[in-house]
Amino acid sequence: MDALRVENVHKIYGNIEAVKGINFSVKEGEIFGLIGPNGAGKTTALRMISTLITITSGKITVCGYDVAAQGDDVRKSISYLPEDAGAYKDLTGRTYLRFIAGFFTDGEETEKMTQRGMDIANLGDRIDSKVNTYSKGMMRRLLIARAIMTSPRFAIMDEVTSGLDVMNAHDIRELIREIAGSGVTVLLSSHNMYEVESLCDRVAMINKGEIIMQGTPAELKAKYDAKNLEEVFIKGVKSVEQSV
Amino acid sequence: MNNLFNLVKKELRELMTLESLISIAVVMILFVGLGYMISDQTEQAMEPVRMGVINYDDQGSSTYYDTVNSALDGMYDPATRDQYLIKLYPSSILTDEETISLMQEKGLSNLLVVSPDFSDNIDNGTQGKIKAYYISANTGAFGGIDSDSVQVFVTVVNGAVSTELMNNELSVTPEEAAFLKSPVSFSMPDNYTYINGKLYSDITPSAISGAMMTQTLMVPIIIMIVIMVVGSIVISSMGTEKENKTLETLLTLPVKRTTVVSGKILASGIMGLVYGAAYMVGMYAYMSAMTASAGAVNLADYGLVLEPVDWVITMLMMFVSILCALGLCMILGAFVKNYKSAQTMTLPISVVAMIPMFVFMFVGWNSLPAAMQAVMFAIPFSHPMMVMQNLMFGDYVLVFAGLIYCVAFAAVTVLITVRLYNSDILLVGFGQTRLGRILAKYKKAD
């Protein structure tokens, strides 16, 4: 069964068409990468999928729920981690996790979920420090813990390791592998082609609002006769530029 | 309900910081201090006036020297007279500059000078001359007291000399003179004023409205401050949510947008109520200090007092009007880009709150023309500004009409906010909408 189906989706801002009839699907338990240059429409697509912005036309289904008509049900199934997301700076890491857990469970279950988040974040004693004292890596760990502790069926992650050092980025990629291993479907967007290639089962590339290629990293590399996904990316973008 | 509680708790945790609680306490202390300062000033003003007198009419044969002296003596309690009535006897007639120097030397701020030809002039059928000198120091609300007191002194001297004159010229006894000067009897107990179904015989409507204005003068200011503070809180909160990118996370949680909006408004409303209550406590102390002053009209003596239920209605009105302000701020907050841009967004709300503040600081509801009443009624912040006076006068129709209007106003703003939360404007900004782009194009063409 498809965890996500995106069918002929358009998004128009005023007189600019940011997304031009994209189609792709993500299977349950899959890690799917959405790649593309800056301003290609990745974040707009992720925001539509996560119910943050409206769809101009077309249809998106997440875990069987129509994003346009069943937003509340979609939000119960997903977990969205935006690019450069932050947490409430006056809260401690623990109270932030408890605040989020409060929307998913009640009573003792909230505490259990919070504990799970704390285990994932692995921030030690610093979990009781205020969030505004956290480093970027600590903040990212907290936010990923927030996104995962709720056991979502579908996790959407935008530039999940952006700005992190090698160790932190590595830890977070391991974490994503772990959650995908536990059955969570992951849709991630990244500029880091190594990350996408090493993590994703399948990849779609978006450029100027259109999906220009999709497939497994191996299929795409073979198609473009490329050594790695970065080369695929460059050839893909250039081919679009030449065709215009 | 659980989600709403969770959101309100989080918002309050962020809003009720040590810094904000300290600022509330400081404002409360300032009000109490202000009350005691004004009370002290009022009490000072109620003390007998320290008056200097130079009577140059002391020529031995002057007809009215004793009359003037007796009249002035009669103004004071004999036990403390020498403390307050300072009679000066310069060896010669002083110039204006020398008079001021003498006043400074004696620590006097006002001085009456009876001219040397005072009695002679009156004996010759012309008016006797009295001059007054002041050293102006207090320019505040009570700055007019010295000159007012001198006027009273001159009136008393005038009356005494007039009585003496009638006695000398027309052989009229002092009692007959008093009658001739005032054949009509009219004093304070002769004023009958009907207040809230009861007739009082020693008060005038102007005295009531004067006392009420004094005691409720701070209410519009407090309401305006509270609205500005909570407005700023909620708009800044929206700006911070956008800047820290917590809004996107919040909007993808399994919680209805109505709950998110309600949570923000409710938490800020509670915070506003805390501010309002703290200011009210401060104001209550301020009012108590004012009414405790000697000579002040005690409105409670005339049934013009707020019962506990009236205080509840007042707080409710304040809360609902704060919700209106918050609703408006949430609408404006939807358009802010970050914390910095949020700071300027409170301006429209502040201006709207200032209009009724200035009106109700000086004019009561019943004194307003119908068109102005309609405008004031339409501004939701007017209602808490006038609620205390309306409750004191039992004008419950206006109070409850205002309350219902404010509830409806707040509900409409919440609905508009929820609609905005369900739209793209919140995340992509007004500039990305069709209207925003048309306006941007138009601006560029300009």
Side-chain angles (χ1 to χ4, degrees):
Chain A
M1 185 191 164
D2 289 334
L4 171 71
R5 287 190 72 79
V6 178
E7 296 169 75
N8 194 28
V9 168
H10 292 257
K11 179 65 191 178
I12 300 171
Y13 293 124
N15 48 10
I16 289 179
E17 193 171 10
V19 173
K20 301 168 183 170
I22 57 171
N23 289 283
F24 67 94
S25 60
V26 180
K27 292 185 179 66
E28 270 187 10
E30 200 173 36
I31 303 181
F32 190 93
L34 194 60
I35 59 172
N38 290 331
K42 300 187 299 292
T43 299
T44 300
L46 297 186
R47 281 177 163 184
M48 284 191 286
I49 293 165
S50 54
T51 77
L52 277 171
I53 56 173
T54 54
I55 302 162
T56 306
S57 66
K59 189 177 179 182
I60 299 176
T61 316
V62 177
C63 300
Y65 299 112
D66 184 345
V67 163
Q70 296 166 289
D72 286 344
D73 293 313
V74 171
R75 283 190 285 271
K76 278 177 196 162
S77 311
I78 66 164
S79 188
Y80 176 51
L81 184 57
E83 184 183 3
D84 294 332
Y88 299 104
K89 291 180 176 174
D90 283 322
L91 302 186
T92 64
R94 186 195 295 265
T95 47
Y96 175 68
L97 293 174
R98 191 179 288 133
F99 164 65
I100 298 291
F103 292 105
F104 295 86
T105 56
D106 282 322
E108 267 185 39
E109 286 304 310
T110 305
E111 285 311 309
K112 277 185 192 166
M113 188 179 278
T114 307
Q115 186 57 53
R116 198 162 152 246
M118 283 158 56
D119 293 341
I120 297 167
N122 195 23
L123 291 171
D125 293 343
R126 294 299 307 277
I127 196 73
D128 288 315
S129 301
K130 281 201 173 180
V131 166
N132 59 8
T133 64
Y134 285 8
S135 68
K136 195 165 184 176
M138 289 166 75
M139 176 71 92
R140 213 63 189 159
R141 291 194 76 90
L142 180 76
L143 292 172
I144 289 179
R146 181 278 291 169
I148 297 168
M149 71 177 184
T150 58
S151 306
R153 289 173 65 189
F154 192 82
I156 304 161
M157 298 177 174
D158 195 359
E159 300 293 348
V160 71
T161 57
S162 138
L164 295 184
D165 62 35
V166 175
M167 290 304 291
N168 274 307
H170 174 264
D171 286 353
I172 282 165
R173 280 196 285 272
E174 286 307 310
L175 216 53
I176 292 170
R177 258 191 210 104
E178 261 179 53
I179 61 160
S182 67
V184 177
T185 308
V186 179
L187 171 64
L188 67 86
S189 155
S190 178
H191 284 299
N192 183 337
M193 290 304 113
Y194 165 75
E195 182 172 286
V196 175
E197 195 173 342
S198 67
L199 274 177
C200 298
D201 300 308
R202 284 195 307 132
V203 178
M205 183 172 171
I206 187 167
N207 191 24
K208 293 183 178 168
E210 290 174 291
I211 300 280
I212 56 169
M213 64 173 89
Q214 58 181 308
T216 64
E219 283 169 357
L220 294 177
K221 280 192 282 186
K223 184 179 174 186
Y224 284 90
D225 189 22
K227 289 195 281 288
N228 52 43
L229 212 52
E230 189 170 275
E231 217 177 306
V232 173
F233 184 96
I234 293 163
K235 285 181 176 175
V237 172
K238 279 186 177 167
S239 70
V240 172
E241 280 169 3
Q242 280 161 6
S243 67
V244 173
Chain B
M1 197 63 196
N2 183 45
N3 286 344
L4 182 65
F5 177 71
N6 197 22
L7 275 164
V8 170
K9 203 168 77 175
K10 186 274 290 179
E11 294 286 341
L12 283 177
R13 195 174 273 149
E14 285 201 304
L15 295 175
M16 279 198 193
T17 57
L18 184 64
E19 293 87 345
S20 64
L21 292 175
I22 287 172
S23 80
I24 292 172
V26 166
V27 172
M28 204 163 82
I29 291 164
L30 279 177
F31 270 117
V32 175
L34 187 67
Y36 282 106
M37 201 176 74
I38 289 178
S39 157
D40 191 45
Q41 282 275 301
T42 315
E43 275 165 20
Q44 270 183 32
M46 292 298 169
E47 276 183 16
V49 177
R50 196 160 174 268
M51 180 71 72
V53 176
I54 300 175
N55 194 342
Y56 289 124
D57 195 27
D58 183 15
Q59 304 293 316
S61 62
S62 63
T63 321
Y64 299 104
Y65 177 79
D66 288 338
T67 310
V68 170
N69 271 358
S70 305
L72 292 173
D73 287 349
M75 299 283 289
Y76 292 95
D77 179 352
T80 55
R81 186 187 297 144
D82 292 345
Q83 250 180 282
Y84 297 106
L85 185 64
I86 314 298
K87 291 179 183 167
L88 302 170
Y89 303 97
S91 53
S92 61
I93 292 173
L94 303 177
T95 62
D96 290 345
E97 288 72 24
E98 287 168 341
T99 306
I100 295 297
S101 296
L102 183 63
M103 285 174 75
Q104 285 171 329
E105 187 190 314
K106 300 290 178 189
L108 291 166
S109 59
N110 41 358
L111 176 81
L112 280 177
V113 176
V114 181
S115 65
D117 52 3
F118 183 82
S119 292
D120 290 346
N121 279 350
I122 294 171
D123 287 339
N124 295 329
T126 54
Q127 288 179 311
K129 190 82 182 161
I130 292 180
K131 289 200 281 187
Y133 290 82
Y134 307 100
I135 294 176
S136 183
N138 189 346
T139 54
F142 301 98
I145 284 169
D146 284 355
S147 53
D148 292 349
S149 308
V150 165
Q151 198 59 50
V152 172
F153 276 71
V154 172
T155 305
V156 169
V157 169
N158 203 18
V161 172
S162 169
T163 302
E164 184 69 16
L165 192 61
M166 280 194 244
N167 184 253
N168 293 347
E169 300 292 322
L170 306 168
S171 303
V172 172
T173 63
E175 290 75 23
E176 287 169 332
F179 169 72
L180 286 172
K181 281 191 284 183
S182 184
V184 177
S185 166
F186 182 70
S187 58
M188 191 47 103
D190 297 319
N191 288 289
Y192 290 87
T193 305
Y194 188 72
I195 308 163
N196 283 350
K198 208 172 168 190
L199 197 62
Y200 295 93
S201 68
D202 57 350
I203 192 80
T204 60
S206 63
I208 289 284
S209 63
M212 195 164 273
M213 275 291 172
T214 314
Q215 292 183 19
T216 58
L217 186 71
M218 297 303 287
V219 176
I221 300 171
I222 289 172
I223 301 293
M224 199 208 65
I225 293 171
V226 170
I227 283 168
M228 282 173 73
V229 169
V230 296
S232 169
I233 286 172
V234 83
I235 293 187
S236 301
S237 153
M238 287 294 293
T240 311
E241 290 259 20
K242 285 189 180 180
E243 196 168 295
N244 294 342
K245 299 219 173 176
T246 46
L247 188 64
E248 290 180 49
T249 304
L250 190 63
L251 296 180
T252 53
L253 293 172
V255 54
K256 288 191 185 303
R257 302 280 159 97
T258 322
T259 312
V260 173
V261 173
S262 305
K264 276 201 175 294
I265 290 182
L266 207 59
S268 306
I270 290 169
M271 194 64 188
L273 207 57
V274 171
Y275 271 98
Y279 292 177
M280 281 280 187
V281 169
M283 197 185 66
Y284 182 75
Y286 164 84
M287 279 169 55
S288 304
M290 293 271 285
T291 49
S293 306
V297 172
N298 186 4
L299 292 173
D301 292 344
Y302 304 96
L304 296 171
V305 65
L306 290 182
E307 302 295 338
V309 67
D310 295 329
W311 282 105
V312 172
I313 294 171
T314 303
M315 290 305 282
L316 188 65
M317 184 69 98
M318 185 183 266
F319 183 64
V320 175
S321 77
I322 287 170
L323 292 187
C324 293
L326 291 171
L328 287 173
C329 289
M330 286 289 281
I331 293 171
L332 293 173
F335 297 94
V336 303
K337 289 174 189 159
N338 49 37
Y339 182 79
K340 200 176 167 189
S341 72
Q343 300 306 303
T344 54
M345 278 292 203
T346 47
L347 190 66
I349 305 291
S350 306
V351 170
V352 175
M354 271 181 199
I355 297 168
M357 181 195 79
F358 283 120
V359 169
F360 290 117
M361 270 175 72
F362 305 109
V363 190
W365 169 263
N366 290 315
S367 309
L368 293 172
M372 197 62 175
Q373 282 184 339
V375 172
M376 288 300 113
F377 191 91
I379 299 174
F381 317 134
S382 303
H383 299 282
M385 291 183 185
M386 58 181 176
V387 68
M388 287 172 83
Q389 290 199 14
N390 290 335
L391 285 169
M392 280 185 190
F393 280 105
D395 197 349
Y396 287 98
V397 174
L398 184 58
V399 170
F400 287 111
L403 196 60
I404 292 165
Y405 172 75
C406 285
V407 169
F409 190 99
V412 169
T413 57
V414 168
L415 288 176
I416 294 171
T417 311
V418 170
R419 209 175 157 79
L420 283 172
Y421 263 64
N422 279 315
S423 76
D424 295 351
I425 288 177
L426 207 59
L427 290 175
V428 300
F430 181 66
Q432 296 296 324
T433 62
R434 190 182 295 271
L435 182 63
R437 282 185 179 274
I438 290 169
L439 287 176
K441 217 179 218 178
Y442 181 72
K443 207 174 163 186
K444 222 175 184 180
D446 260 8

